Amino acid sequence: MAGRRAYTTHPLVLRRVTVRRVEEVTPRMRRVVLGGADLAAFTRDGIDHPGFAAPGFDDHIKLIMAADGDVRAALPAQLPHGIEWTPAEHRLTRDYTPRRVDLDAGELHLDFVVHGDGPAESWSAAAREGDELWFVGPKSSLRLPERLDWIQLVGDETALPAIGRFLDERPLDVPAHVLVTVSDDVARQELALRDGDSVTWVLAEPGDAAALESAVRALPVPPGEGYVWAAAESRALLPVRRYLQRERKLPKDRVNITGYWHHEEPAAPEAAADAGAATAAPAGIPSPLPWLVARAALQLGVVDAVADTPGLSADALAARLGVPGPGIAVQLPLLSAYDVVVDADAGGLRLGAAGEELLDDHEREEYTGHEAELLLALAHLAPALRDGTSPWRLASGATLHDTVAHDAERYGELVEECEQLVFLLTGLTADPLWDGVGTCLLTGPGSASMVAALDDAGRRPRLRIAEEGVPTEVLRGHVPAPDRIDWTAGPADVAVAAKALAYRTDEEAVRLLARLAEWTGTAVLVEASRPDGLSPHAAEAALHAFTATGSPLRDSAALAVLAERSGWRVERTVALGWGAEATVLRRA
């Protein structure tokens, strides 16, 4: 049976608040107290919105600003049930944790580290009573495990709002052991400690990975079942993650590590010039060489071997991996140049900052997972464009659907990618089409998210899943309470294909839709129809889709053509946000 979900979702609402007062918590932390009618339930443009809810101690809201000062032009579009991040050239967003939420007083407290140089810090420095601020979120709240004996809360100054809120509200009645790195003693705050708690303050510069790792290693490990929550500069947390997961061997559901900010080192002019001289790629087009070398290092096991046994010599590494010495010798200079490994001379090989990043499952998927395979297929882009087929098909000899339908690991990656759908499906589950629905047929890797969204909305139709073989077994491991689901296709009042077309060619999509028409008179297609305006990779979305299926992102017009070919007609679309839509089909 699938495990308990680790988060609770919330409706995404754009809210406006104004500054009520500004307080100096310490010489290093400024608190801005915000209030306004939008914190309660309200109506805007004829749409009713629920009151603000941020029950989790580390919830984060997205502040919206504008580099040119025109905040109104940077705001996303509010949907009846969600947000659409329309393109906005000057939009700036930053995530912040509410330090306190007092809905009785209609107040939201946000703490800002002083002396920062980001847009949010600059706004807080200039904030005066009456100034407005727009924000969205939170989209979800972390659910802590129910049975714990202790919790460790680790962070730098930016984590103090979340740590302080945890100690004030105590979502778990267990001893809390706190570790905070600060750049100055004046940053220390009074915390609501209880008997059995502990707090350790460590003086360290912001982003000092060595200091943070050393301090975490020095923390006593209490007996019993525990949980470690950590938030700080993203790269500083990399060795902490390695220590907790690989040395202390804490299960993934007992660790939550979040990079709150990212330190950018300005390149010296001489270094920038040297880097440019050593690069063979044309100006502005990055070389693929670092990506390919990192991919090989992950595939061979170089990164894991050096992480598990720091200090290995090159010969010992080669022997451990079963790779001839000359092969390792070819790689090491490049891995060192890209900071994947560091050759500490007599001390042997150790991971560099890039290598630490590659220990994270999400990071390594970009080099060895499904997305990486799609990227490699782009080597066939030119002939695919000429032939009118997909690069994937030319690269592998099969369609992507045929590939993932027989590969549990690949299909599992698709299912995990679809987990974000649960934040967008409120618009669909609130739609009147569910009135009177007794049976729902699901298909596609987003089926598990659809089940969770129906549960969240209090919808309880009988569920069937129309998948076979490998996809069925993978989905069994992801849906909540799989035993309540009928795992055979059959008649239903409505069918939902959740990201089922995203890895199918047009012909395969038509066959699927024709099959659904045998079982129901109403079908819903949940697909990305346009790029996500908040994504830095929005320009790549159409090419990504073409690589997989031979078609760019299918908008409503393209879906209507496929529907007509398979005996359906488009009745309407429901905007879900983030570029996703639900297209409602009726049998023609």
Side-chain angles (χ1 to χ4, degrees):
M1 182 170 292
R4 176 176 177 264
R5 268 196 295 158
Y7 51 82
T8 300
T9 59
H10 304 296
L12 284 169
V13 178
L14 175 65
R15 302 180 193 270
R16 177 187 178 272
V17 289
T18 58
V19 176
R20 289 190 173 178
R21 60 188 180 276
V22 178
E23 304 169 355
E24 303 302 323
V25 180
T26 70
R28 292 277 306 173
M29 190 76 77
R30 176 178 292 114
R31 178 166 299 155
V32 180
V33 179
L34 302 148
D38 286 9
L39 292 179
F42 70 99
T43 302
R44 183 190 298 130
D45 298 330
I47 302 174
D48 294 331
H49 300 293
F52 177 67
F57 76 98
D58 70 338
D59 287 350
H60 59 266
I61 61 175
K62 193 173 294 295
L63 312 187
I64 304 164
M65 299 164 188
D68 63 351
D70 186 1
V71 174
R72 299 288 174 136
L75 298 178
Q78 177 70 66
L79 306 176
H81 299 279
I83 292 292
E84 186 66 68
W85 291 100
T86 51
E89 180 182 358
H90 299 290
R91 178 190 292 136
L92 299 170
T93 63
R94 294 294 186 271
D95 290 349
Y96 271 79
T97 300
R99 176 60 179 83
R100 183 167 182 256
V101 179
D102 186 346
L103 294 180
D104 291 334
E107 290 185 346
L108 166 66
H109 297 205
L110 296 180
D111 286 3
F112 298 82
V113 175
V114 179
H115 306 309
D117 56 2
E121 292 86 348
S122 299
W123 177 86
S124 72
R128 298 293 181 269
E129 183 179 350
D131 288 355
E132 74 172 9
L133 180 67
W134 292 82
F135 72 89
V136 170
K139 68 177 183 180
S140 63
S141 296
L142 174 69
R143 290 178 181 172
L144 293 167
E146 294 174 345
R147 295 179 181 84
L148 291 176
D149 299 305
W150 52 266
I151 187 169
Q152 289 180 338
L153 303 167
V154 176
D156 59 14
E157 292 176 49
T158 64
L160 276 170
I163 292 172
R165 187 175 178 196
F166 178 95
L167 296 174
D168 286 349
E169 299 179 1
R170 295 287 173 160
L172 284 176
D173 188 17
V174 298
H177 304 288
V178 177
L179 167 65
V180 184
T181 63
V182 293
S183 57
D184 192 304
D185 276 330
V186 299
R188 297 189 183 198
Q189 298 182 13
E190 289 294 325
L191 299 174
L193 300 175
R194 297 179 180 178
D195 289 343
D197 294 344
S198 67
V199 61
T200 303
W201 299 93
V202 176
L203 278 175
E205 289 301 309
D208 187 336
L212 183 60
E213 179 190 8
S214 176
V216 171
R217 285 180 175 275
L219 284 175
V221 180
E225 288 290 319
Y227 189 94
V228 179
W229 177 93
E233 196 277 332
S234 55
R235 283 181 175 259
L237 287 167
L238 295 172
V240 172
R241 183 192 302 275
R242 171 168 48 81
Y243 163 67
L244 294 173
Q245 294 184 339
R246 302 182 82 90
E247 294 186 42
R248 280 180 54 179
K249 299 189 182 303
L250 286 174
K252 289 183 179 180
D253 64 350
R254 292 295 186 268
V255 181
N256 186 282
I257 299 178
T258 306
Y260 268 15
W261 59 286
H262 186 67
H263 180 65
E264 296 286 352
E265 281 287 355
E270 298 83 0
D274 290 345
T279 300
I285 301 177
S287 166
L289 190 58
W291 186 90
L292 291 167
V293 171
R295 173 178 164 83
L298 287 170
Q299 290 177 313
L300 291 171
V302 171
V303 174
D304 291 306
V306 175
D308 292 336
T309 314
L312 285 172
S313 66
D315 290 341
L317 176 63
R320 184 184 180 101
L321 300 178
V323 177
I328 291 294
V330 166
Q331 266 208 310
L332 284 179
L334 289 166
L335 293 175
S336 179
Y338 303 137
D339 205 23
V340 176
V341 299
V342 177
D343 189 351
D345 299 324
L349 298 169
R350 298 182 182 277
L351 288 185
E356 295 279 7
E357 287 187 351
L358 292 174
L359 290 177
D360 179 65
D361 288 343
H362 181 70
E363 287 290 334
R364 68 170 60 202
E365 282 176 6
E366 295 186 18
Y367 297 87
T368 61
H370 173 67
E371 295 296 321
E373 298 298 330
L374 281 174
L375 183 59
L376 289 171
L378 280 171
H380 300 268
L381 178 60
L385 290 169
R386 290 193 189 99
D387 297 347
T389 188
S390 71
W392 179 274
R393 194 170 199 164
L394 286 184
S396 66
T399 66
L400 181 56
H401 171 257
D402 283 341
T403 302
V404 302
H406 299 90
D407 188 323
E409 185 174 348
R410 289 187 190 278
Y411 195 82
E413 286 189 46
L414 294 181
V415 173
E416 289 171 6
E417 286 175 16
C418 289
E419 287 177 356
Q420 294 296 316
L421 270 183
V422 78
F423 302 118
L424 308 179
L425 288 169
T426 306
L428 176 56
T429 57
D431 194 272
L433 75 84
W434 294 98
D435 296 343
V437 168
T439 304
C440 174
L441 178 70
L442 299 171
T443 190
S447 295
S449 290
M450 191 66 211
V451 173
L454 288 169
D455 286 348
D456 289 348
R459 303 281 188 183
R460 296 290 185 269
R462 294 186 299 278
L463 297 173
R464 318 182 72 131
I465 289 187
E467 294 286 358
E468 298 174 353
V470 167
T472 297
E473 293 310 308
V474 173
L475 286 169
R476 277 184 185 275
H478 284 79
V479 298
D483 293 343
R484 65 182 164 136
I485 294 173
D486 183 344
W487 291 89
T488 58
D493 298 311
V494 64
V496 179
K499 288 296 187 82
L501 305 191
Y503 61 103
R504 281 177 161 90
T505 65
D506 284 355
E507 295 304 320
E508 289 169 335
V510 168
R511 286 198 294 271
L512 173 65
L513 293 177
R515 188 175 177 223
L516 294 181
E518 298 173 5
W519 294 316
T520 184
T522 303
V524 183
L525 310 179
V526 178
E527 297 288 340
S529 58
R530 66 178 67 86
D532 167 18
L534 200 61
S535 169
H537 305 294
E540 303 167 11
L543 181 60
H544 186 278
F546 178 81
T547 304
T549 67
S551 298
L553 281 176
R554 297 180 177 110
D555 58 16
S556 55
L559 290 177
V561 171
L562 297 179
E564 289 171 6
R565 288 178 56 190
S566 50
W568 297 90
R569 61 177 175 82
V570 174
E571 180 180 84
R572 57 194 169 88
T573 59
V574 180
L576 303 178
W578 264 272
E581 288 183 335
T583 303
V584 181
L585 307 179
R586 300 287 186 187
R587 224 166 26 203

